Structure formats: C-alpha cells, structure tokens
Amino acid sequence: MGILDGKQVLVTGGARGIGFEIAKKMAGEGAKVFVNDVKDEILDIAVTELLKAGFNAEGYKADITDEEAVAKMFHIIEKKGGLDVLVNNAGLSIRGVHALRTGTVEHDVKKVTEIGLMDWNGVLNINLTGTFLCTRAAVPLLKKSNNGRIINMSSRAGRAGGSVSDIAYVTTKAGIIGFTKQCAIELGAYGITANAIAPGVIMSEWLKDHWENLSNERQETLLNSIPLKRTGEPQEIANICVFLASDSSSYITGTTLDANGGSYLS
Amino acid sequence: MELTGRIALVTGAAKGIGAEITNGLLKKGAKVILTDINMENLISKTNEFREEGYDVDSKLLDVREEQQVIEAFKWIDEKYGRLDILVNNAGLSPKVNGIRRNTHDIPTSEWDTVLDINLKGTFLCTREALPLMQKGKWGRVISIASQAGRTGSRVSGTHYSASKAGIIGFMRTLATEYGTFGITANSIAPGPIETDLLYINDSGKIDTYIKNIPVGRLGKAQEVASAVTYLCSVDAGFINGATIDVNGGLFML
Ligand SMILES: NC(=O)c1ccc[n+]([C@@H]2O[C@H](COP(=O)([O-])OP(=O)(O)OC[C@H]3O[C@@H](n4cnc5c(N)ncnc54)[C@H](O)[C@@H]3O)[C@@H](O)[C@H]2O)c1
Ligand SMILES: NC(=O)c1ccc[n+]([C@@H]2O[C@H](COP(=O)([O-])OP(=O)(O)OC[C@H]3O[C@@H](n4cnc5c(N)ncnc54)[C@H](O)[C@@H]3O)[C@@H](O)[C@H]2O)c1
C-alpha cells in the first residue's frame, strides 16, 4: 500500500538522474508510471530496472520539444487510463544542449557573450517549450482526475542565479516559476494544483561528471556555502515530488519548493 | 511508522491548526506533548487524543513567559531525555469584532502582545529545545508563519505581519546554524485557513477572499498539518531554511 496507489504519472526525462529517481519512488508508492525520455537506450535500461523491481512502469520515447510526438504520447496515455500527475522534469543546460548537438562536452560554464543562438534556443526549447507542450496536452486528462497535479522542475539557479549555471538555464528555470504560478491560477478551478521544485546542487549523473572536473578548492567552497554541508541526492528530490503528488499537499499550489540544504534561503 | 519513537512538542496545540498538527504527528507514530495557554482546552484536547489511544502528554505553557518555557523544557529533559520535533504554532492575530485595527489605532500593549507571543515565544521555545535536539543528533524545528509575513494582508494587522515576516527571517538564520547537527529549520506560511483565528466579521469579505484563491476555497487545518508532518519526515531532510506556502495559490512567490 503506497500513498500514490491508483494514480497514473508521467515523468519526462525520466530515464536517468533525478527523473529516474522520481519515477522509481512514485512507482514504489503504488503509482503507474509512464517514463518518457528522448534517448531510447537509457530509457530501455531504466524501464527494465523498474519492471524488475516489480513496479508498474512503461516507457515512451518522445522528444518533448516535438509537438506531434507529444500529442501522440498523450493520446496513448489517455487510452491507457488517463493521467493524474504530470512531472515536467526533462531539462538541460547549455552544456547539455551543446553536447547533444555537437558531441563535445565543455566543462567551463559559458558566459552570456559566449553562448551561440542555437544552444540558447535549444535550452529554451527543452526547458520551457517542452514544459508548455506537455502541460497543454496533459490538462484535458488532468481535468478528468479528481486530484490533478502538475509538478515542474525549476532550480535554485532560477531563484538566485549561480556560479555553476549558465544564463540560458537560469532564464528558463526562472521562467518555470512564472509558468507554474499561471497554471495554478488557470487550473485551480478544476482541482488541479501546480507547483515547482527548486533543487540546489544534486548529485545526478550530469553533475557527477561536472563535479569531478572542479578543483578540490572549488568543491569545498561550494559545500561550505550549504548549511547542511553536502550536496543533495536525486532521491531527496523524488521524495518531494511524491509529497507534491500526494493528497497531503492538497492546498499547496503555485509555490516553488526549495530543496537546497539551505544554500539559498528563500 | 514514519515518526515512531520521535518526541514532538507543539505550542498552541489545544485547538485550531495546532490541534490538527498534533493529530497529524500522532497518526505518524510520534509521541506528542501538547502545550497551550488555555488550560481547559488543553485538558480536553489531550484527553480526546488519549481516549483515541494516542501517546500524548501535556503541559500548560505560555510561550511568552521565559521562566515557564525554561521549566517546561527542563521537565521534558528530565522526563524524556530529549526532544526531536518542535512546532512553534502558538500565535495571535487580534481583531475587534472580527476586524483588525489599522496601525494608527494599535495600542502599544497590543503590539507588544503580538510580538511577544508570535516572535519572542518562537525564540524562547526554540532556544530551549535546541540542546535537547542536539542530544539526539536529529531535529526538526518548524514554525508556523503566515501569508501575512510574505506579502501584505487585508485581514490582519501590521503587528501580525511584522511578527510573521520576523519568524521567516528567524528560521532562515537558524537553518544556517544547526544543519551539521542534523537539525533542519523551516517555516510554513498558511493562507486563509478555516479556524477561529481567521474569523472575519464580514461574509462579503470572505467571498471576495475566496474568489481570489485559485482553488476556490479556504484551506483546512489538516492541510497545514500535512505539510508539518511532511517536513518532519526523513524524506524532507534536504529541505532547510525554506518557507512552504499552503495557501491554495492566493499568493505565489
Ligand atoms: N542535478 C542538479 O543539480 C539539478 C539542480 C536543479 C535542477 N535540476 C533539474 O532537474 C531536472 C533533471 O536533471 P538531472 O540532473 O536529473 O539531469 P539529467 O541530464 O541526468 O537528466 C535529464 C534527462 O532528460 C532527458 N531529456 C533531455 N532532453 C529531452 C527531450 N527533449 N525530451 C525528453 N527527454 C529529454 C535526458 O535524456 C535525461 O535522461 C532538470 O530539469 C534539471 O534542470 C537539476
Ligand atoms: N487560521 C489562519 O487562517 C492562519 C493563517 C496563517 C497563519 N496562521 C497561524 O497558525 C497558527 C495557529 O493558528 P490557528 O488559526 O489555529 O489559531 P487559533 O486561535 O484557533 O489557535 C491558537 C492556539 O494558540 C494558543 N495560544 C495563544 N496564545 C498563546 C500563548 N501565549 N502561549 C501558548 N499558547 C497560546 C491558543 O490558546 C489557541 O489554542 C498561528 O501561529 C497563526 O498565526 C493561521
């Protein structure tokens, strides 16, 4: 018996990192989880792991920036019983988009003058347009649920900026917060709540790579700026997602929940 | 259960949100010490929980009174040897016939009362609780702020807003001090919740209020309580220094 028994959930970008932990935790709480990702190799691995653990999970390969692909995905979800919770998790920084586009990973954080338009557009497309497309397609399904929930992944960087983030990423993550508020206003009448989570430094796959490229000194400075003196784990973000998806959070809407160990106190 | 073995203290626990917070913690397995300034309500609420088979204790406590606070926590130390969860909930929002006083009408005594209960009370209870939490290397301090401390309020006075914004600042700095002891500090900022405190002597005003709330209704005390139990859980361990709004979307920041 879990606190999400009987709920149907979609997690975008759920094949690895925070998204995967969200899918796993929600499935563990009894939800049926649709796992979306753009990369099918890692998606297969992720879904196999969930199924092996005895969870109710299904994978959908779709690029959330592709309007048609998104429409198709939601059409299938509707046929399979509808949706109660949408987790807009897929998101990338300039580094991620650049690597996807060119195959080369650059570890230095690019400054505003160093960012090409293609990379800028890529970040805005995934983080904002993708969130919009999925939300727009999900709303008719969420209206049919008694407790529709939209959970968007913002970031500490969207609240306060930050030395490890680029400006396109920060822009979109702040944008997510506004998007979330307006969703709350427009959809409250249908019993749908919309909230954002703003994680601080979380040891997900992509951060691990980046972290190892930071000097010891830089790592120490970063850790020292966090009152809890440690980075967060993807599971700790997944936990919050479960709370926001559960009936316990029924009067919470339009908010951004900070999970950053206290590193930026909002 | 999630909070089995944990000992919690809730101030202003005899009714309203405090009583529901107590109920929520009990349901998760915690032992709860109810405290309140109102003896009659405190006794009947405590008995109510006891009759339901819950593990409760109680102590008459005016959070403004330093000596009382010191003695209450000393009593807990002697009786239980530690404390895991403190919920600073006791609070006052003075109204005259359901209407706040505007600033030019607030007597100093009313100003002092509000700041004493809401702010000094939070400080005193937190100060005395911290050594007991450090013993267990785990702790949760949760203070009930208010939407009035996040933005302006149309129903409560300037003293109330000052005290609630003060609580948020207090909790953020507390969050920087005890993290390494496993103690997190967070605030909850409820919007309009159906309790005696919300009492507004004007149904028209309530209707306008509700119209502005995206979910189209007032909140329930249980919905504040569920945020408290969540913050007490192991799952919420990376949330520190945060303020959680529970307001149906009335104010979003
Ligand atoms: N790790 C952190 O410290 C941190 C901090 C704050 C916020 N976040 C946010 O959390 C979310 C998850 O981050 P993560 O650290 O797990 O990253 P990650 O790179 O490990 O995972 C992102 C996933 O999204 C998928 N994805 C990318 N583009 C997609 C698209 N167009 N359509 C569908 N899927 C797509 C990727 O394939 C990948 O599996 C992101 O929104 C990120 O901005 C992360
Ligand atoms: N009801 C709302 O809409 C609302 C909104 C935002 C915040 N809050 C906050 O939630 C908390 C609880 O409010 P409520 O609505 O349950 O109010 P309430 O008036 O129903 O209950 C308050 C309780 O605190 C006790 N109390 C008062 N002074 C005390 C003192 N000096 N020492 C110990 N106990 C004392 C009272 O006896 C009572 O039992 C308060 O801090 C309040 O400011 C309430």
Coordinates of all heavy atoms in Angstrom, one line a residue, chain A residues 203-258:
Chain A
M203 N 23.5 15.5 -6.8 CA 24.5 14.6 -7.4 C 23.8 13.7 -8.4 O 23.7 12.5 -8.2 CB 25.1 13.7 -6.4 CG 26.5 14.1 -6.0 SD 27.6 14.6 -7.3 CE 28.7 15.7 -6.4
S204 N 23.3 14.2 -9.5 CA 22.8 13.4 -10.6 C 23.9 13.1 -11.5 O 25.0 13.5 -11.4 CB 21.6 14.1 -11.3 OG 22.2 15.2 -12.0
E205 N 23.6 12.2 -12.5 CA 24.6 11.8 -13.5 C 25.4 13.0 -14.0 O 26.6 13.0 -14.0 CB 24.0 11.0 -14.6 CG 24.0 9.5 -14.4 CD 22.7 9.0 -13.7 OE1 22.0 9.9 -13.2 OE2 22.5 7.8 -13.8
W206 N 24.7 14.0 -14.5 CA 25.4 15.0 -15.2 C 26.2 15.9 -14.2 O 27.3 16.3 -14.6 CB 24.5 15.9 -16.1 CG 23.7 16.9 -15.5 CD1 22.4 16.8 -15.2 CD2 24.1 18.3 -15.1 NE1 21.9 18.0 -14.6 CE2 22.9 18.9 -14.5 CE3 25.3 19.0 -15.1 CZ2 23.0 20.2 -14.0 CZ3 25.3 20.3 -14.6 CH2 24.2 20.9 -14.0
L207 N 25.7 16.0 -13.0 CA 26.5 16.8 -12.1 C 27.8 16.0 -11.7 O 28.8 16.6 -11.5 CB 25.7 17.1 -10.8 CG 26.5 18.1 -9.9 CD1 26.4 19.5 -10.5 CD2 26.1 18.0 -8.5
K208 N 27.7 14.7 -11.6 CA 28.8 13.9 -11.2 C 30.0 14.2 -12.1 O 31.1 14.4 -11.6 CB 28.5 12.4 -11.2 CG 28.3 11.8 -9.9 CD 27.9 10.3 -10.0 CE 26.7 10.0 -9.0 NZ 25.9 8.9 -9.5
D209 N 29.8 14.2 -13.4 CA 30.8 14.5 -14.4 C 31.4 15.9 -14.1 O 32.6 16.0 -14.0 CB 30.2 14.5 -15.8 CG 29.8 13.2 -16.3 OD1 30.2 12.2 -15.6 OD2 29.2 13.1 -17.3
H210 N 30.5 16.8 -14.0 CA 30.9 18.2 -13.8 C 31.7 18.3 -12.5 O 32.7 19.0 -12.4 CB 29.7 19.1 -13.8 CG 30.0 20.5 -13.7 ND1 30.8 21.2 -14.6 CD2 29.6 21.4 -12.7 CE1 30.9 22.5 -14.2 NE2 30.2 22.6 -13.1
W211 N 31.2 17.7 -11.5 CA 31.8 17.8 -10.1 C 33.2 17.4 -10.1 O 34.1 18.0 -9.6 CB 31.0 17.0 -9.1 CG 31.3 17.1 -7.7 CD1 32.0 16.3 -6.9 CD2 31.0 18.2 -6.9 NE1 32.1 16.8 -5.7 CE2 31.5 18.0 -5.6 CE3 30.3 19.4 -7.1 CZ2 31.3 18.9 -4.5 CZ3 30.1 20.3 -6.0 CH2 30.6 20.0 -4.8
E212 N 33.5 16.2 -10.8 CA 34.8 15.7 -10.8 C 35.8 16.6 -11.5 O 37.0 16.5 -11.3 CB 34.8 14.3 -11.5 CG 34.4 13.2 -10.5 CD 33.7 12.0 -11.1 OE1 33.9 11.8 -12.3 OE2 33.0 11.3 -10.4
N213 N 35.3 17.5 -12.4 CA 36.1 18.4 -13.1 C 36.4 19.7 -12.3 O 37.1 20.6 -12.8 CB 35.5 18.8 -14.4 CG 35.9 17.7 -15.4 OD1 37.0 17.6 -15.9 ND2 34.9 16.8 -15.7
L214 N 35.8 19.9 -11.1 CA 36.0 21.0 -10.3 C 37.2 20.8 -9.4 O 37.5 19.7 -9.0 CB 34.8 21.3 -9.4 CG 33.5 21.7 -10.1 CD1 32.4 21.9 -9.0 CD2 33.7 23.0 -10.9
S215 N 38.0 21.8 -9.1 CA 39.1 21.7 -8.2 C 38.6 21.4 -6.8 O 37.5 21.7 -6.5 CB 39.9 23.0 -8.2 OG 39.2 24.0 -7.6
N216 N 39.5 20.7 -6.0 CA 39.1 20.4 -4.6 C 38.7 21.7 -3.9 O 37.7 21.7 -3.1 CB 40.3 19.8 -3.9 CG 40.5 18.4 -4.3 OD1 39.6 17.8 -4.9 ND2 41.6 17.8 -3.9
E217 N 39.4 22.8 -4.2 CA 39.1 24.0 -3.5 C 37.7 24.5 -3.8 O 36.9 24.9 -3.0 CB 40.1 25.0 -4.0 CG 40.4 26.1 -3.0 CD 41.3 27.2 -3.7 OE1 42.1 26.9 -4.7 OE2 41.2 28.4 -3.3
R218 N 37.4 24.4 -5.1 CA 36.1 24.9 -5.6 C 34.9 24.0 -5.0 O 33.9 24.5 -4.6 CB 36.1 24.7 -7.1 CG 35.0 25.4 -7.9 CD 35.2 26.8 -8.1 NE 34.0 27.3 -8.8 CZ 32.8 27.6 -8.1 NH1 32.8 27.5 -6.8 NH2 31.8 27.9 -8.8
Q219 N 35.2 22.7 -4.9 CA 34.2 21.8 -4.3 C 34.0 22.2 -2.9 O 32.8 22.2 -2.4 CB 34.7 20.3 -4.4 CG 34.8 19.8 -5.8 CD 35.3 18.3 -5.8 OE1 35.6 17.7 -4.7 NE2 35.3 17.7 -6.9
E220 N 35.1 22.5 -2.2 CA 35.0 22.8 -0.8 C 34.2 24.1 -0.5 O 33.4 24.2 0.4 CB 36.4 22.9 -0.2 CG 36.5 22.2 1.2 CD 38.0 22.0 1.5 OE1 38.5 23.0 2.1 OE2 38.6 21.0 1.2
T221 N 34.5 25.1 -1.4 CA 33.8 26.4 -1.3 C 32.3 26.2 -1.4 O 31.5 26.7 -0.7 CB 34.3 27.4 -2.3 OG1 35.7 27.2 -2.5 CG2 33.9 28.8 -2.0
L222 N 32.0 25.3 -2.5 CA 30.6 25.1 -2.7 C 29.9 24.4 -1.5 O 28.8 24.8 -1.1 CB 30.4 24.2 -4.0 CG 30.0 24.9 -5.2 CD1 30.1 24.0 -6.4 CD2 28.6 25.4 -5.1
L223 N 30.5 23.4 -1.0 CA 30.0 22.6 0.1 C 29.8 23.5 1.3 O 28.8 23.4 2.1 CB 30.8 21.4 0.4 CG 30.8 20.3 -0.6 CD1 31.7 19.1 -0.2 CD2 29.3 19.8 -0.8
N224 N 30.8 24.4 1.5 CA 30.8 25.3 2.7 C 29.6 26.3 2.6 O 29.2 26.8 3.6 CB 32.1 26.0 2.8 CG 33.0 25.1 3.7 OD1 32.6 24.4 4.6 ND2 34.3 25.2 3.4
S225 N 29.2 26.5 1.4 CA 28.1 27.5 1.3 C 26.7 26.9 1.5 O 25.7 27.5 1.5 CB 28.1 28.1 -0.1 OG 27.7 27.2 -1.1
I226 N 26.7 25.6 1.8 CA 25.5 24.9 2.1 C 25.4 24.5 3.6 O 26.3 23.8 4.1 CB 25.4 23.5 1.2 CG1 25.6 23.8 -0.3 CG2 24.1 22.8 1.5 CD1 25.7 22.6 -1.1
P227 N 24.4 25.1 4.3 CA 24.4 24.8 5.7 C 24.4 23.3 6.1 O 25.0 23.0 7.1 CB 23.0 25.5 6.1 CG 22.9 26.6 5.2 CD 23.5 26.1 3.9
L228 N 23.8 22.5 5.3 CA 23.9 21.0 5.6 C 25.2 20.4 5.2 O 25.4 19.2 5.4 CB 22.7 20.3 4.9 CG 21.3 20.5 5.5 CD1 20.3 19.7 4.8 CD2 21.2 20.3 7.0
K229 N 26.1 21.2 4.6 CA 27.5 20.8 4.2 C 27.5 19.5 3.3 O 28.4 18.7 3.5 CB 28.3 20.5 5.5 CG 28.3 21.7 6.5 CD 29.2 22.8 6.0 CE 29.2 23.9 7.0 NZ 28.9 25.2 6.4
R230 N 26.6 19.4 2.4 CA 26.7 18.3 1.5 C 25.8 18.6 0.3 O 24.9 19.5 0.4 CB 26.2 17.0 2.1 CG 24.7 17.0 2.6 CD 24.3 15.7 3.2 NE 22.9 15.7 3.7 CZ 21.9 15.5 2.9 NH1 22.0 15.2 1.6 NH2 20.6 15.6 3.4
T231 N 26.0 17.9 -0.8 CA 25.2 18.0 -2.0 C 23.9 17.1 -1.7 O 24.0 16.3 -0.8 CB 25.9 17.6 -3.2 OG1 26.3 16.2 -3.1 CG2 27.1 18.4 -3.6
G232 N 22.9 17.4 -2.5 CA 21.7 16.5 -2.3 C 21.7 15.3 -3.2 O 22.5 15.2 -4.1
E233 N 20.9 14.4 -2.9 CA 20.8 13.1 -3.7 C 19.5 13.2 -4.5 O 18.5 13.8 -4.1 CB 20.7 11.9 -2.8 CG 22.0 11.7 -2.0 CD 23.2 11.4 -2.9 OE1 23.0 10.8 -4.0 OE2 24.3 11.9 -2.6
P234 N 19.5 12.7 -5.7 CA 18.3 12.6 -6.6 C 17.1 12.1 -5.8 O 16.0 12.6 -6.0 CB 18.7 11.7 -7.7 CG 20.1 11.8 -7.8 CD 20.7 12.0 -6.4
Q235 N 17.3 11.1 -4.9 CA 16.2 10.6 -4.1 C 15.5 11.7 -3.3 O 14.3 11.6 -3.0 CB 16.6 9.5 -3.2 CG 17.1 8.2 -3.8 CD 18.6 8.3 -4.2 OE1 19.1 9.4 -4.5 NE2 19.2 7.2 -4.3
E236 N 16.3 12.6 -2.9 CA 15.7 13.7 -2.0 C 14.8 14.6 -2.7 O 13.9 15.2 -2.2 CB 16.8 14.5 -1.3 CG 17.6 13.6 -0.4 CD 18.7 14.3 0.4 OE1 19.7 14.7 -0.2 OE2 18.5 14.5 1.6
I237 N 15.0 14.7 -4.0 CA 14.1 15.5 -4.9 C 12.9 14.6 -5.2 O 11.7 15.1 -5.2 CB 14.8 15.9 -6.2 CG1 16.1 16.8 -5.8 CG2 13.8 16.8 -7.0 CD1 15.8 17.9 -4.9
A238 N 13.1 13.4 -5.4 CA 12.0 12.4 -5.7 C 11.0 12.4 -4.5 O 9.8 12.4 -4.7 CB 12.5 11.0 -6.0
N239 N 11.6 12.4 -3.3 CA 10.7 12.4 -2.1 C 9.7 13.6 -2.1 O 8.6 13.5 -1.8 CB 11.6 12.5 -0.8 CG 12.4 11.3 -0.6 OD1 12.1 10.2 -1.1 ND2 13.5 11.5 0.1
I240 N 10.3 14.8 -2.5 CA 9.4 16.0 -2.5 C 8.4 15.9 -3.6 O 7.2 16.3 -3.4 CB 10.3 17.2 -2.7 CG1 11.3 17.3 -1.5 CG2 9.5 18.5 -2.9 CD1 12.4 18.2 -1.8
C241 N 8.7 15.3 -4.7 CA 7.8 15.1 -5.8 C 6.6 14.2 -5.3 O 5.5 14.5 -5.6 CB 8.6 14.4 -6.9 SG 8.1 14.9 -8.5
V242 N 6.9 13.2 -4.6 CA 5.9 12.3 -4.0 C 5.0 13.1 -3.1 O 3.7 13.0 -3.2 CB 6.5 11.1 -3.3 CG1 5.4 10.4 -2.5 CG2 7.2 10.2 -4.2
F243 N 5.5 13.9 -2.3 CA 4.7 14.7 -1.4 C 3.8 15.6 -2.2 O 2.6 15.7 -2.0 CB 5.6 15.6 -0.5 CG 4.9 16.7 0.3 CD1 3.9 16.3 1.2 CD2 5.1 18.0 0.0 CE1 3.2 17.3 1.9 CE2 4.5 19.0 0.7 CZ 3.5 18.7 1.7
L244 N 4.3 16.3 -3.2 CA 3.5 17.2 -4.0 C 2.5 16.5 -4.9 O 1.4 17.0 -5.2 CB 4.4 18.1 -4.9 CG 5.2 19.1 -4.2 CD1 6.1 19.9 -5.2 CD2 4.3 20.2 -3.5
A245 N 2.7 15.2 -5.2 CA 1.7 14.4 -5.9 C 0.7 13.8 -5.0 O -0.4 13.4 -5.5 CB 2.5 13.3 -6.7
S246 N 1.0 13.8 -3.7 CA 0.1 13.1 -2.8 C -1.1 14.0 -2.3 O -1.1 15.2 -2.6 CB 0.8 12.6 -1.6 OG 1.1 13.8 -0.7
D247 N -2.1 13.3 -1.7 CA -3.2 14.1 -1.2 C -2.8 15.0 0.0 O -3.5 16.0 0.3 CB -4.3 13.1 -0.7 CG -4.8 12.3 -1.9 OD1 -4.7 12.7 -3.0 OD2 -5.4 11.2 -1.6
S248 N -1.6 14.8 0.6 CA -1.2 15.7 1.7 C -0.9 17.1 1.3 O -0.9 18.0 2.1 CB 0.1 15.1 2.3 OG 0.0 13.9 2.8
S249 N -0.7 17.3 0.0 CA -0.4 18.7 -0.4 C -1.5 19.4 -1.1 O -1.3 20.4 -1.8 CB 0.8 18.6 -1.4 OG 0.4 17.9 -2.6
S250 N -2.7 19.0 -0.7 CA -3.9 19.5 -1.5 C -4.2 21.0 -1.5 O -4.8 21.5 -2.4 CB -5.2 18.8 -1.0 OG -5.3 18.8 0.4
Y251 N -3.7 21.7 -0.5 CA -3.9 23.2 -0.5 C -2.6 24.0 -0.9 O -2.6 25.2 -0.8 CB -4.4 23.7 0.9 CG -5.2 24.9 0.8 CD1 -6.3 25.0 0.0 CD2 -4.9 26.1 1.6 CE1 -7.1 26.2 -0.1 CE2 -5.6 27.2 1.5 CZ -6.7 27.3 0.7 OH -7.4 28.5 0.6
I252 N -1.7 23.2 -1.4 CA -0.4 23.9 -1.8 C -0.5 24.0 -3.3 O -0.5 23.0 -4.1 CB 0.8 23.0 -1.4 CG1 0.8 22.9 0.1 CG2 2.1 23.6 -1.9 CD1 2.0 22.1 0.6
T253 N -0.5 25.2 -3.8 CA -0.5 25.4 -5.3 C 0.2 26.7 -5.6 O 0.1 27.7 -4.9 CB -1.9 25.3 -5.9 OG1 -1.7 25.2 -7.4 CG2 -2.8 26.4 -5.6
G254 N 0.9 26.7 -6.8 CA 1.6 27.9 -7.2 C 2.9 28.2 -6.5 O 3.5 29.2 -6.8
T255 N 3.3 27.3 -5.7 CA 4.5 27.5 -4.9 C 5.8 26.9 -5.6 O 5.7 26.1 -6.5 CB 4.5 26.9 -3.5 OG1 4.5 25.5 -3.7 CG2 3.3 27.3 -2.8
T256 N 6.9 27.3 -5.1 CA 8.2 26.7 -5.5 C 8.8 26.2 -4.2 O 9.0 27.0 -3.3 CB 9.1 27.7 -6.2 OG1 8.4 28.3 -7.3 CG2 10.4 27.1 -6.6
L257 N 9.0 24.9 -4.2 CA 9.6 24.3 -3.0 C 11.1 24.2 -3.1 O 11.6 23.6 -4.1 CB 9.0 22.9 -2.8 CG 8.4 22.7 -1.5 CD1 7.3 21.7 -1.5 CD2 9.5 22.3 -0.5
D258 N 11.8 24.9 -2.3 CA 13.3 24.8 -2.3 C 13.8 23.6 -1.6 O 13.4 23.3 -0.5 CB 13.9 26.0 -1.6 CG 13.5 27.3 -2.3 OD1 13.9 27.4 -3.4 OD2 12.9 28.2 -1.7

